[in-house]
Amino acid sequence: MRRERLSVVASEQVGPYTLLRTARGGLEPGTPGQFFMLEAPGRLLPRPMSLCLAPRGELAFLIDPIGPGTRALSSLEAGDVLHVLGPLGNGFDLDVDRPLLVGGGIGIAPLPYLADALGTPPVVLGFRSDWHAQAAALLPHAEVCVEPRLVTELVPPGHDVLACGPEPMLEAVRALAPTAQLAWEAPMACGYGACYGCAVEIDGELKRLCVEGPVLRAA
C-alpha cells in the first residue's frame, strides 16, 4: 500500500459511467477485487474504487458519477493530477476450478481485471437499462440482460461464482451459490480500518469492508 500523485491519461464515457485512466506510477495493481482510494480535487474525503483494468503503465477505474465526489472524479481530464492510495482490502481468491463472474450495474467495475487474471472465464451481467448495459463492452464475451430480467436467471449451476453488485443481487447470488465469493459495496472514509465507516452487518456480524473485505465468502 502506498499513496502517489498520479496524472490522468484519459477519461472515457462508457454509457453513463466514466472510465478514468491514470498513469500507474509506482503503484502495484494488486489482486482483482482490491480497491484504491481516489482523492477528488476539491473534495474532503477520497472515494473507494475497484481497479477495472491494468494495462501496461496504467490503472483504470470505472466510476458512476452519482454524487459530488464521483462527479468530481468523472470531470477530470488528461493532464490533471490526483492522489491515489492502494491497493487496499482483500481481493478475490483466484484458485478456482470453474469460475463464473457475475456483475450487476457498476458492480461490473472489478470484473474486467478479474477476467484477465482468470483467462477470460464466462461472465453474466445485469443492468437497469440499455444505456447502462453499454458498459458490457468492457467484457465483450459476457452474456447480458436488462431489467426486468434478473442476472441471477443467467447463473448456471456447478460454477465457482465470483460476484460484485448491489446488495440485493449479492443476496440472491448467495442463495443460488452458497460458496460464492462476493464483493460488497459501502462508502469508505479511510480505506484501512481506522474509522469503521464502512462496517456493514452480514449474518448478524459487523464487517469492516475495507480490511475484512470487500470480497467475502458467501458462507
Side-chain angles (χ1 to χ4, degrees):
M1 176 186 72
R2 58 187 295 173
R3 180 176 181 266
E4 286 201 11
R5 189 169 182 260
L6 303 180
S7 296
V8 175
V9 174
S11 181
E12 306 165 2
Q13 290 304 120
V14 185
Y17 309 120
T18 299
L19 186 67
L20 183 69
R21 294 167 46 202
T22 75
R24 185 178 296 187
L27 297 184
E28 294 295 327
T31 302
Q34 287 188 291
F35 67 96
F36 292 76
M37 299 297 286
L38 277 58
E39 298 182 18
R43 305 304 306 174
L44 179 62
L45 295 176
R47 296 295 184 271
M49 297 291 161
S50 299
L51 186 63
C52 184
L53 293 164
R56 186 176 181 86
E58 292 184 12
L59 303 172
F61 305 92
L62 191 66
I63 299 170
D64 189 4
I66 58 173
T70 48
R71 287 196 295 268
L73 290 170
S74 295
S75 69
L76 293 171
E77 299 177 347
D80 290 338
V81 295
L82 74 162
H83 282 102
V84 179
L85 171 70
L88 299 160
N90 293 312
F92 289 99
D93 179 1
L94 306 182
D95 186 17
V96 290
D97 295 326
R98 297 191 64 200
L100 172 72
L101 311 191
V102 182
I106 192 60
I108 187 181
L111 300 190
Y113 181 38
L114 177 60
D116 286 345
L118 289 173
T120 317
V123 182
V124 294
L125 304 172
F127 296 94
R128 72 179 73 172
S129 71
D130 291 334
W131 185 38
H132 291 83
Q134 290 181 32
L138 295 168
L139 288 155
H141 63 289
E143 186 177 357
V144 180
C145 69
V146 175
E147 291 184 4
R149 196 176 186 197
L150 301 177
V151 70
T152 46
E153 298 176 34
L154 306 181
V155 177
H159 285 268
D160 299 303
V161 174
L162 303 91
C164 183
E167 184 173 341
M169 188 207 87
L170 296 183
E171 292 290 0
V173 168
R174 180 162 67 160
L176 287 174
T179 61
Q181 299 181 53
L182 308 176
W184 296 83
E185 301 172 345
M188 296 181 185
C190 69
Y192 44 83
C195 70
Y196 282 74
C198 66
V200 296
E201 185 174 341
I202 300 174
D203 292 335
E205 184 178 354
L206 287 177
K207 301 281 188 180
R208 290 175 298 167
L209 292 183
C210 65
V211 291
E212 296 173 87
V215 179
L216 300 169
R217 288 282 182 177

